[in-house]
């Protein structure tokens, strides 16, 4: 009897895994099926199965033609996008310039959107020239046009007009041009997409893809081990060694576009979390380049990568890893040199160090609190007595951005991360390095209020240079000056990891997206 | 009876009001949802617009009165994260949680009562000792650990059952998905019922009416199943009634471990993302549910036990 029961159970266990079906375990679920609702990685990742943008990003975030076949700047302030012909929406209606104009009207104006796509659409005028040509005009030269346009999905005008987020969640309006079509969305449970047989590009490999949100790390790993899913994202570092040894599994990894770095107080002479050794006030030594250099030299990045991150990181010398647009070929991670650091402290007039508090979130980045503790110990070794305070992200980011009495940054020394959605160096330069200016939207996340006129000039020049080679060079030089000046202290780049059952292969992506289009059958 | 019910309803409204105030102020001091929701690329200006749109720039008491005014009309606010009505999100996930809670409840009764009675009738036998030792484990092992062990053994090693997720309701696949989380959630209650049943049985077994029934020559089965069982059920039912509310409202850990798409998972996700409207709505609904369950238990009590008079509950 038991034998029979077991046989039945086994039969059912294996029946689910049809050859044409792919089952994916997601670490974080999307919050809506409306592609313009929430500018959040899990949303953008999942919705790129159903919807497409004019410009695509490949697995290294290089720009590729998608719904636009080609694009060029036809004068200083106008970009021309030639749209792909013979593309149809899932309901059979042809894709035209009207849909593009409509999508960019809709994107910044979605009701209740927690983080809007307005940043990519504002300041741009979309003009339909003919069915397959769109002109985009801006007030000033704008080289990042293709990058911005790669971030906004094109929806069908026919179904999108008047449609609100719930209409997309129900599937009624979730009509795109992508390789898969919407089939089912049960919030908190699963999202199912089905192959678009009329897809304009290469035929999608899977008949049906089921995405399941399994937020708990050990449960997600267990689901893979049990064969309930074929592929999982966000593999926890603690399990990685074991999973690598498992002959039934394959691991796929790549460096991510996210850097973990330290921001230091550049703008206050009396910094609230910097004190003299005796606890009394001290003129903020972090404003002295030599002290900043000493701090950077005191950090053993190799130890952080190997011990704290268990090898799941690559030590960083600038804002984006090599291979990305606009990175400097010259910059290397600062070498660990505690004696040199002590010497620099002595030259700067604080031979015995000072007291410092490092603030860090404890639930935002992998091992964030542990990294902060490691940094604290390393600094204490060169005489900077460092206290470590870790906070939950909701408290940390509020205080770090607007916690001071003047509604500015509160902390003196923080650990944070930055992922470059546009996949090029102007993103971190503009937000982390440029002088804070709320009107211009510069330095929005510059929580150390670093300010360097020379760097600002180079960033602004770069943002007005349409020529790719020249812009790349300007961005690289701006990065070099800011890093030499220790505007921020880069620690490491994260590594993105996927694990899958043997027989599957995934093209790992720098942007952390998990795409069924990147999953193939291994030989 | 009518007066009792009316008085209870008024009391309940006061409780809900006080609770909503406590929760509202509570979620307010916990942290700021804005910096979790926004994307890093947004400018300061856009962040401020967003704060204004959510009404988070206004003082807490104004936000609270705004919330109350809407709540009276049945609108508990829109989720910050999902942009849909909080009430809808909760109700959407309620069936999954009810399914899980009722299955766990059933398991607790079906296994707990027989095991407890056996242990009560034969307190010295090795099996009884094993049952009691097991019930201590059921009490003391952390739910998330047991959940993970269940997944490791039954899903990963043996491959009998799916590790996570939910199937369709009342299908074979659905039951297979239900088995592990329901057992995990039931374990604690099962231990509780076992101990209650054992204590009751030991007491009842010594009562005169049981001795008399035996002396009358009734079969042991009839003595146990009729005379003992009936009498131990009263405390067991009372406790289970109260525990059911807890099962429904706070199956958070089990739902998280098994990725069960219920309300508990929604609650914990909402707390982590500081989705205030959902947290407040959830707790308001929970309080209402407890009040209703308690009211029903009280009324049932008066019906089951004529010695209980409802009008005496004047407080």
């Amino acid at each position: 009897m038991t034998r029979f029961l077991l046989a039945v159970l086994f039969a059912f266990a294996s029946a689910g895994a049809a050859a044409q079906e792919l089952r994916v375990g997601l670490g974080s679920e999307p919050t809506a099926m409306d592609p313009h609702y929430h500018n959040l990685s899990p949303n953008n990742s999942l919705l790129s199965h159903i919807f497409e943008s004019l410009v695509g990003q490949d697995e290294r975030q290089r720009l590729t033609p998608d719904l636009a076949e080609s694009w060029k700047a036809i004068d200083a302030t106008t970009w021309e996008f030639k749209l792909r012909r013979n593309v149809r929406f899932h309901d059979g209606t042809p894709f035209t310039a009207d849909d593009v104009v409509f999508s960019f009207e809709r994107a910044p104006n979605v009701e209740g959107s927690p983080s809007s796509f307005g940043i990519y659409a504002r300041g741009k005028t979309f003009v339909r020239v003919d069915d397959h040509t769109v002109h985009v005009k801006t007030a000033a030269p704008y080289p990042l046009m293709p990058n911005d346009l790669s971030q906004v999905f094109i929806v069908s005008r026919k179904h999108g007009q008047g449609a609100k987020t719930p209409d997309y969640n129900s599937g009624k309006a979730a009509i795109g041009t992508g390789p898969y079509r919407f089939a089912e969305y049960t919030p908190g449970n699963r999202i199912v997409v089905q192959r678009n047989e009329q897809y304009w590009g290469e035929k999608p490999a899977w008949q049906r893809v089921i995405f399941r949100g399994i937020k708990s790390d050990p449960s997600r790993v267990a689901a893979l081990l049990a064969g309930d899913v074929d592929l999982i994202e966000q593999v926890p570092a603690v399990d990685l060694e074991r999973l690598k040894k498992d002959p039934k599994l394959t691991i796929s990894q790549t460096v991510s576009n996210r850097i973990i770095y330290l921001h230091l107080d550049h703008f206050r002479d009396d910094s609230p979390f910097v004190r003299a050794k005796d606890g009394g006030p001290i003129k903020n030594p972090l404003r002295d380049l030599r002290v900043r250099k000493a701090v950077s030299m005191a950090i053993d990045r190799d130890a952080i990568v190997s011990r704290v991150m268990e090898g799941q990181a690559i030590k960083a010398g600038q804002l984006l890893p090599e291979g990305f647009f606009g990175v400097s070929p010259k910059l290397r991670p600062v070498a660990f040199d505690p004696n040199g650091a002590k010497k620099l402290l002595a030259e700067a007039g604080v031979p015995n160090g000072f007291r410092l508090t490092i603030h860090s979130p404890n639930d935002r980045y992998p091992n964030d609190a542990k990294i902060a503790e490691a940094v604290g110990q390393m600094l204490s070794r060169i005489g900077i007595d460092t206290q470590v305070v870790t906070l939950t992200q909701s408290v940390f980011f509020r205080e770090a951005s607007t916690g001071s009495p003047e509604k500015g940054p509160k902390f003196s020394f923080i650990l944070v991360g930055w992922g470059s959605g546009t996949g090029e160096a102007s993103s971190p330069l503009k937000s982390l390095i440029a002088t804070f200016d709320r009107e211009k939207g510069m330095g929005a996340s510059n929580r150390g209020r670093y300010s360097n006129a020379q760097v600002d000039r180079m960033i602004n020049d770069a943002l007005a240079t349409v020529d790719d080679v020249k812009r790349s060079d300007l961005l690289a030089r701006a990065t070099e000056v800011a890093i030499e000046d220790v505007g921020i202290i880069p620690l490491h780049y994260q590594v993105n990891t996927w694990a899958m059952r043997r027989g599957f292969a995934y093209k790992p992506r720098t942007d952390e997206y998990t795409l069924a289009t990147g999953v193939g059958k291994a030989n | 009876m009518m007066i009792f019910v009316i008085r209870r309803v008024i009391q309940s409204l006061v409780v809900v009001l006080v609770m909503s105030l406590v929760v509202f102020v509570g979620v307010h001091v916990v942290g700021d949802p804005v910096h979790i929701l926004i994307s890093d690329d947004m400018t300061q200006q856009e962040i401020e617009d967003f704060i204004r749109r959510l009404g988070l720039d206004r003082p807490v008491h104004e936000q609270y009165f705004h919330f109350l005014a809407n709540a009276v009309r049945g609108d508990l606010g829109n989720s910050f994260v999902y942009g849909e009505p909080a009430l809808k999100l909760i109700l959407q996930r309620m069936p999954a949680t009810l399914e899980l809670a009722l299955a766990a409840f059933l398991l607790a009764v079906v296994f707990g009562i027989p095991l407890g009675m056996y242990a009560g009738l034969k307190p010295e036998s090795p099996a009884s000792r094993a049952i009691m030792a097991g019930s201590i484990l059921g009490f003391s092992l952390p739910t998330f650990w047991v959940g993970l062990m269940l997944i490791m053994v039954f899903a990963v090693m043996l491959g009998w059952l799916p590790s996570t997720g939910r199937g369709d309701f009342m299908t074979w696949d659905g039951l297979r998905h239900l088995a592990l989380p329901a057992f995990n959630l039931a374990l604690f209650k099962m231990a509780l019922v076992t101990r209650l049943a054992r204590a009751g049985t030991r007491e009842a077994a010594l009562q005169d009416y049981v001795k008399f029934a035996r002396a009358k020559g009734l079969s042991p089965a009839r003595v146990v199943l009729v005379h003992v069982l009936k009498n131990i059920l009263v405390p067991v039912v009372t406790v289970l009634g109260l525990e059911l509310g807890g099962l429904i409202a706070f199956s958070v850990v089990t739902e998280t471990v098994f990725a069960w798409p219920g309300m508990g998972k929604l609650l914990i996700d909402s707390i982590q993302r500081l989705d205030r409207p959902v947290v407040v709505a959830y707790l308001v609904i929970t309080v209402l549910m407890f009040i209703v369950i308690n009211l029903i238990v009280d009324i049932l009590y008066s019906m089951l036990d004529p010695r209980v008079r409802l009008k005496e509950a004047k407080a």
Side-chain angles (χ1 to χ4, degrees):
Chain A
M1 183 62 195
T2 359
R3 229 167 239 280
F4 169 73
L5 269 180
L6 284 186
V8 171
L9 284 170
F10 268 114
F12 273 91
S14 47
Q20 287 282 295
E21 190 174 270
L22 176 69
R23 299 157 306 160
V24 180
L26 299 177
S28 22
E29 283 168 68
T31 56
M33 289 292 110
D34 180 345
H36 301 147
Y37 173 71
H38 203 170
N39 184 14
L40 194 73
S41 293
N43 291 42
N44 298 341
S45 165
L46 196 117
L47 288 167
S48 41
H49 294 90
I50 304 170
F51 300 94
E52 292 172 300
S53 337
L54 291 183
V55 180
Q57 289 191 356
D58 71 0
E59 69 277 6
R60 308 263 326 150
Q61 287 186 271
R62 288 167 302 211
L63 301 180
T64 56
D66 212 352
L67 286 177
E69 273 176 332
S70 65
W71 54 88
K72 60 172 188 278
I74 51 173
D75 63 48
T77 57
T78 309
W79 281 80
E80 181 178 83
F81 288 82
K82 285 281 182 198
L83 307 186
R84 198 176 290 279
R85 283 155 199 276
N86 302 323
V87 174
R88 285 177 182 279
F89 282 101
H90 297 156
D91 67 342
T93 49
F95 154 73
T96 68
D98 290 329
D99 300 303
V100 176
V101 175
F102 172 76
S103 297
F104 282 90
E105 269 166 26
R106 183 177 188 273
N109 298 313
V110 176
E111 203 179 299
S113 159
S115 76
S116 141
F117 285 84
I119 37 173
Y120 306 117
R122 269 190 212 116
K124 303 184 178 77
T125 316
F126 288 77
V127 182
R128 170 192 195 277
V129 176
D130 60 47
D131 263 2
H132 296 101
T133 313
V134 174
H135 282 178
V136 191
K137 294 183 195 297
T138 46
Y142 193 69
L144 290 178
M145 186 65 74
N147 301 78
D148 275 10
L149 265 49
S150 74
Q151 301 291 310
V152 178
F153 288 117
I154 303 301
V155 298
S156 146
R157 187 177 70 142
K158 186 176 154 200
H159 296 277
Q161 245 158 2
K164 295 201 167 19
T165 302
D167 297 319
Y168 283 88
N169 290 346
S170 71
K172 201 177 107 202
I175 310 280
T177 55
Y180 291 91
R181 36 166 83 219
F182 176 96
E184 181 194 328
Y185 171 48
T186 328
N189 191 10
R190 60 183 207 166
I191 299 125
V192 183
V193 295
Q194 217 127 21
R195 176 155 64 203
N196 172 10
E197 303 289 351
Q198 271 78 48
Y199 187 55
W200 58 265
E202 201 182 314
K203 188 184 172 195
W206 308 99
Q207 174 69 41
R208 203 168 120 89
V209 187
I210 301 170
F211 296 92
R212 288 188 31 217
I214 311 175
K215 200 175 167 198
S216 149
D217 282 342
S219 307
R220 193 163 62 253
V221 172
L224 177 71
L225 290 173
D228 290 332
V229 292
D230 303 312
L231 169 79
I232 59 169
E233 60 176 14
Q234 297 174 24
V235 177
V238 282
D239 293 318
L240 193 71
E241 280 313 306
R242 196 166 57 90
L243 297 184
K244 270 186 180 160
K245 285 186 199 124
D246 193 324
K248 293 200 295 282
L249 301 178
T250 312
I251 303 288
S252 167
Q253 287 186 303
T254 189
V255 67
S256 90
N257 63 19
R258 193 183 299 281
I259 181 172
I260 301 296
Y261 66 93
L262 305 168
H263 237 146
L264 342 86
D265 186 343
H266 289 275
F267 72 114
R268 285 174 291 206
D269 260 336
D270 179 20
S271 194
F273 294 95
V274 182
R275 286 283 162 264
K277 276 265 170 163
D278 58 8
I282 181 176
K283 185 169 177 294
N284 179 6
L286 298 175
R287 300 191 72 178
D288 187 317
L289 173 61
R290 290 166 294 191
V291 175
R292 297 202 294 274
K293 277 198 169 143
V295 170
S296 187
M297 284 158 71
I299 295 167
D300 185 352
R301 290 173 178 77
D302 288 315
I304 293 180
V305 166
S306 65
R307 301 285 164 75
V308 182
M309 297 301 293
E310 312 201 31
Q312 295 298 291
I314 291 168
K315 59 179 173 170
Q318 52 182 317
L319 306 167
L320 269 175
E322 60 179 301
F324 279 87
F325 185 90
V327 303
S328 158
K330 291 183 204 147
L331 291 171
R332 296 277 166 272
V334 173
F336 175 51
D337 180 6
N339 293 328
K342 274 187 200 154
K343 243 178 250 161
L344 279 172
L345 283 184
E347 279 173 32
V350 276
N352 298 321
F354 48 93
R355 278 195 205 170
L356 182 64
T357 306
I358 178 170
H359 288 87
S360 156
N362 55 24
D363 50 5
R364 176 64 186 86
Y365 314 105
N367 303 320
D368 39 14
K370 284 191 223 158
I371 303 166
E373 280 161 22
V375 168
Q377 283 176 14
M378 290 164 185
L379 294 187
S380 297
R381 237 177 278 160
I382 62 161
I384 304 174
D385 293 344
T386 310
Q387 200 196 337
V388 182
V389 176
T390 69
L391 300 161
T392 184
Q393 53 171 328
S394 57
V395 177
F396 174 82
F397 285 102
R398 179 186 57 196
E399 300 288 299
S401 300
T402 57
S404 80
E406 303 83 33
K407 296 262 172 214
K410 179 177 178 184
F411 304 136
S412 301
F413 188 50
I414 55 172
L415 179 140
V416 228
W418 182 267
S420 299
T422 54
E424 44 80 56
S426 84
S427 155
L429 281 170
K430 215 167 96 177
S431 295
L432 310 181
I433 300 289
T435 304
F436 177 75
D437 183 336
R438 39 175 306 162
E439 269 67 49
K440 288 192 198 137
M442 299 296 269
S445 293
N446 185 348
R447 301 186 178 99
R449 293 290 187 265
Y450 175 68
S451 176
N452 180 329
Q454 192 196 353
V455 176
D456 285 347
R457 214 164 27 242
M458 283 192 276
I459 296 174
N460 285 330
D461 283 353
L463 290 175
T465 305
V466 175
D467 184 295
D468 277 355
V469 178
K470 279 190 200 147
R471 186 169 81 256
S472 169
D473 193 49
L474 276 168
L475 292 173
R477 279 188 11 237
T479 308
E480 282 160 19
V481 176
I483 294 292
E484 299 286 332
D485 198 21
V486 200
I488 67 167
I489 299 177
L491 292 181
H492 56 258
Y493 310 114
Q494 288 178 4
V495 167
N496 299 334
T497 309
W498 289 263
M500 62 221 80
R501 302 203 298 153
R502 184 148 297 258
F504 291 83
Y506 186 62
K507 244 192 266 170
R509 293 184 64 93
T510 52
D511 56 12
E512 306 173 2
Y513 289 6
T514 303
L515 304 182
T517 39
V519 186
K521 289 245 169 88
N523 302 314
Chain B
M1 172 84 180
M2 222 31 229
I3 296 170
F4 169 78
V5 172
I6 291 168
R7 195 186 287 131
R8 275 298 281 275
V9 169
I10 295 171
Q11 282 174 354
S12 308
L13 287 178
V14 175
V15 171
V16 170
L17 194 71
V18 171
M19 197 281 321
S20 73
L21 181 65
V22 170
V23 173
F24 207 86
V25 174
V27 292
H28 242 269
V29 291
V30 174
D32 191 342
V34 174
H35 292 279
I36 294 185
L37 292 166
I38 57 171
S39 79
D40 287 339
D41 298 308
M42 280 165 85
T43 64
Q44 198 61 33
Q45 189 60 48
E46 286 170 316
I47 295 172
E48 280 162 25
D49 290 344
F50 174 61
I51 293 174
R52 215 165 308 124
R53 219 151 24 84
L54 291 186
L56 294 174
D57 54 334
R58 289 181 291 174
V60 185
H61 63 271
E62 248 180 67
Q63 291 184 39
Y64 181 65
F65 287 120
H66 184 70
F67 163 79
L68 275 190
N70 285 333
V72 171
R73 281 177 280 146
D75 174 9
L76 293 176
N78 274 11
S79 157
F80 292 164
V81 175
Y82 296 96
E84 298 212 40
L87 197 60
K88 179 185 161 193
L89 289 171
I90 295 166
L91 294 180
Q92 219 172 29
R93 302 187 189 207
M94 200 177 249
T97 296
L98 286 180
E99 181 190 356
L100 181 62
L102 291 177
F105 186 76
L106 215 66
L107 281 177
V109 173
V110 168
F111 286 98
I113 292 179
L115 288 176
M117 287 183 72
Y118 180 84
L121 291 170
K122 299 194 171 140
E124 302 303 325
S125 84
S128 298
R129 288 176 196 278
I131 291 170
M132 293 324 286
S135 79
I136 290 173
L137 288 182
F139 261 124
S140 44
L141 290 179
T143 311
F144 76 90
W145 185 84
V146 175
L148 286 174
M149 287 304 116
L150 288 174
I151 294 179
M152 281 316 286
V153 173
F154 291 100
V156 176
M157 288 172 173
L158 299 173
W160 292 354
L161 293 165
S163 58
T164 49
R166 183 187 181 215
D168 292 324
F169 183 59
M170 278 326 245
T171 58
W172 175 241
D173 183 55
L175 290 175
R176 274 165 38 80
H177 277 93
L178 181 62
L180 289 184
F183 181 73
N184 186 221
L185 190 60
L187 204 59
F188 185 89
K189 308 295 170 203
M190 217 187 279
L192 182 71
V193 173
T194 306
R195 300 191 79 94
L196 273 174
R198 174 179 176 268
T201 309
R202 290 202 68 177
E203 205 185 306
L206 303 175
Q207 296 288 325
D208 290 341
Y209 60 84
V210 174
K211 286 183 186 157
F212 181 70
R214 283 220 185 90
K216 265 202 311 192
L218 294 180
S219 71
R222 192 170 161 77
V223 173
V224 172
L225 292 182
V226 178
H227 296 269
V228 176
L229 180 63
K230 256 192 183 170
N231 283 289
I232 66 164
L233 273 185
V234 179
V236 171
V237 168
T238 315
V239 170
L240 278 179
L242 295 174
E243 294 285 332
L244 179 63
L247 271 181
I248 296 171
F250 303 115
S251 47
V252 177
V253 175
T254 299
E255 288 190 3
T256 306
V257 171
F258 289 93
W260 188 263
M263 303 190 298
K265 194 155 156 270
L266 177 69
L267 175 68
I268 201 76
D269 288 350
S270 300
I271 290 175
Q272 277 166 359
R273 287 192 280 209
L274 292 182
D275 194 346
R276 291 176 187 166
V278 177
V279 176
V280 174
Y282 187 91
L283 292 175
V284 167
I285 289 177
T286 307
V287 168
L288 283 176
M289 189 180 70
F290 269 96
I291 288 171
V292 170
I293 289 180
N294 279 346
L295 187 63
I296 292 173
V297 165
D298 279 349
I299 293 170
L300 280 182
Y301 233 69
S302 74
M303 289 174 176
L304 292 175
D305 190 341
R307 287 170 300 181
V308 177
R309 288 278 174 277
L310 286 180
K311 64 173 187 278
E312 79 195 347
K314 273 189 189 132

